């Protein structure tokens, strides 16, 4: 039987429809319009394209995105000063710093400067610590998007064995943390693999749900997947493609053709986790605006 496609496009569309109504209600009830500051430093083409996508998505649901775009030689002090202003601005409910930052700027110092109550990317250590101990917080968008993609596609997580390939701070570690929490929609048994894992296939073949975030095409091939497993491909890799105007196409970390013949469900690239990531950023921004309004 053909694998079910875990369509992030479809789930994101449905969630954004719900969010648009929520934003309209918030504005009608309280006059509050959620505001997201979008900070871009430099002209990295991938970053520009991510920022454009985020701004478009904000407009779609009625969030006011406020761009702050700078040349690549911006000083760390200037960026920290801007963050101070945004932290104090009551019309801004979320601060997004598009990563990576140029070399002269210390990324961790910048992320630490964001008020955790406006950290809608969920990268501040306060939010990551709260996530770890299972407290209310902003969850990082990609891992939260993976969880929502599974749940809203009808894939139960509780009691399943989830194997995660990758242990980065933005995907692997947080997705593992979210899914093993003793909470509804989680409560899985989680194994994490990385470059120090000998014979990775031994572990991945035991997965009911396999989440791959390695950053390399073909990290997971059909022989590494159990018949009937659910596979979520977080990877986004540009590979040269002369037939495209852009000169490249996007592929994930999973050998899609081989693995989709064995999996019961699989997320495509593009159209899988990518749209979910942006959607969870919108979700966090709306939550923040509501919390600010309730506290006022
Ligand atoms: P990263 O920081 O480079 O981390 C990659 C992780 O994978 C590392 O922990 C690394 O292990 C592990 N790894 C790499 N090759 C491996 C292999 N052959 N076997 C086992 N483990 C391996 O990458 P990331 O930021 O987590 O991103 C991962 C992928 O997801 C990238 O393609 C990125 O573009 C994509 N991504 C997509 C979205 C989205 O919205 N769709 C968002 C974020 C990231 P070590 O720790 O041992 O080095």
């Amino acid at each position: 039987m053909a694998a079910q496609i875990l369509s992030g496009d479809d789930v994101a569309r449905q969630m954004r429809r719900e969010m648009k109504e929520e934003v309209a209600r918030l504005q009608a009830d309280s006059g509050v319009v959620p505001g997201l500051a979008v900070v871009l430093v430099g002209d990295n083409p991938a970053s520009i394209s991510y920022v454009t996508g985020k701004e478009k998505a904000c407009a779609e649901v009625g969030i006011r995105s406020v761009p702050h775009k700078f040349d690549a030689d911006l000083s760390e002090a200037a960026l920290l000063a801007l963050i101070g202003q945004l932290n104090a601005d009551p019309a801004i409910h979320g601060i997004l710093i598009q990563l990576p930052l140029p070399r002269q700027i210390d990324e961790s110092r910048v992320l630490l400067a964001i008020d955790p109550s406006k950290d809608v990317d969920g990268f501040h250590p306060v939010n990551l610590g709260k996530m770890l101990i299972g407290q209310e917080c902003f969850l990082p968008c990609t891992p939260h998007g993976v969880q929502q993609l599974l749940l809203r596609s009808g894939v139960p997580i509780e009691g399943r064995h989830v194997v995660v390939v990758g242990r980065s701070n933005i995907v692997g570690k947080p997705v593992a943390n979210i899914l093993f929490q003793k909470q509804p929609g989680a409560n899985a048994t989680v194994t994490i693999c990385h470059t120090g894992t000998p014979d990775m296939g031994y572990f991945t073949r035991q997965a009911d749900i396999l989440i791959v975030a390695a950053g390399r095409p073909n990290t997971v091939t059909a022989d590494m997947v159990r018949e009937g497993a659910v596979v979520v491909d977080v990877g986004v890799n540009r590979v040269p493609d002369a037939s495209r105007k852009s000169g490249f196409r996007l592929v994930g970390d999973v050998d899609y053709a081989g693995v989709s013949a064995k999996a019961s469900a699989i997320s495509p690239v593009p159209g899988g986790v990518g749209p979910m990531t942006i959607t969870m950023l919108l979700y966090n921004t709306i939550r923040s605006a509501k919390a600010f309004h309730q506290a006022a």
Side-chain angles (χ1 to χ4, degrees):
M1 215 169 70
Q4 174 192 352
I5 305 301
L6 302 174
S7 170
D9 280 335
D10 288 352
V11 175
R13 205 173 300 121
Q14 181 200 345
M15 290 187 75
R16 289 180 198 186
R17 261 199 307 268
E18 293 165 11
M19 287 177 192
K20 190 173 176 181
E21 286 171 16
E22 204 177 344
V23 169
R25 258 197 317 273
L26 179 66
Q27 190 173 6
D29 293 349
S30 62
V32 172
V33 177
L36 175 69
V38 180
V39 181
L40 174 67
V41 186
D43 55 3
N44 177 323
S47 293
I48 291 173
S49 133
Y50 288 139
V51 160
T52 308
K54 288 167 186 174
E55 288 173 335
K56 249 178 77 183
C58 282
E60 197 185 318
V61 303
I63 292 174
R64 189 173 68 97
S65 68
V66 184
H68 294 271
K69 297 182 182 170
F70 301 98
D71 291 338
D73 60 359
L74 183 77
S75 71
E76 185 180 297
L79 183 53
L80 290 173
L82 171 69
I83 292 172
Q85 285 167 26
L86 296 172
N87 282 342
D89 184 342
I92 292 297
H93 307 102
I95 302 171
L96 165 82
I97 311 286
Q98 185 61 47
L99 302 178
L101 290 167
R103 235 178 297 164
Q104 75 277 10
I105 300 179
D106 181 338
E107 217 161 85
S108 53
R109 202 173 299 156
V110 166
L111 295 180
L112 208 57
I114 297 173
D115 180 336
S117 68
K118 296 190 177 187
D119 168 42
V120 287
D121 256 335
F123 290 160
H124 193 288
V126 165
N127 281 314
L128 290 171
K130 286 183 172 180
M131 175 191 70
L132 181 67
I133 58 175
Q135 284 185 1
E136 274 280 308
C137 63
F138 291 123
L139 293 175
C141 300
T142 301
H144 194 194
V146 169
Q147 183 192 32
Q148 289 302 313
L149 177 61
L150 288 166
L151 294 175
R152 286 182 174 247
S153 304
V155 177
I157 296 172
E158 290 195 41
R160 316 285 296 278
H161 182 197
V162 173
V163 177
V164 179
V165 177
R167 58 175 162 189
S168 72
N169 291 336
I170 63 166
V171 189
K173 282 179 197 160
V175 82
N177 265 286
I178 290 169
L179 298 185
F180 71 52
Q181 294 292 333
K182 194 169 183 175
Q183 282 169 6
N187 213 15
T189 301
V190 179
T191 300
I192 306 179
C193 300
H194 43 72
T195 58
T197 305
D199 187 10
M200 193 164 67
Y202 169 80
F203 298 96
T204 57
R205 276 188 292 275
Q206 296 178 47
D208 299 317
I209 300 173
L210 179 59
I211 299 171
V212 189
R216 282 157 220 254
N218 294 319
T219 302
V220 168
T221 46
D223 58 307
M224 298 167 76
V225 177
R226 187 177 64 73
E227 197 79 44
V230 173
V231 180
V232 179
D233 190 351
V234 183
V236 180
N237 306 291
R238 287 182 176 198
V239 295
D241 185 343
S243 72
R244 305 279 175 107
K245 209 171 84 190
S246 61
F248 69 86
R249 71 192 149 88
L250 297 180
V251 299
D253 292 346
V254 172
D255 168 26
Y256 187 86
V259 171
S260 60
K262 265 181 121 176
S264 61
I266 185 166
S267 69
V269 178
V273 175
M276 293 304 299
T277 295
I278 299 185
T279 302
M280 300 326 291
L281 174 75
L282 307 177
Y283 172 89
N284 281 347
T285 305
I286 296 167
R287 260 194 55 198
S288 176
K290 284 183 153 177
F292 270 82
H293 170 60
Q294 277 155 12

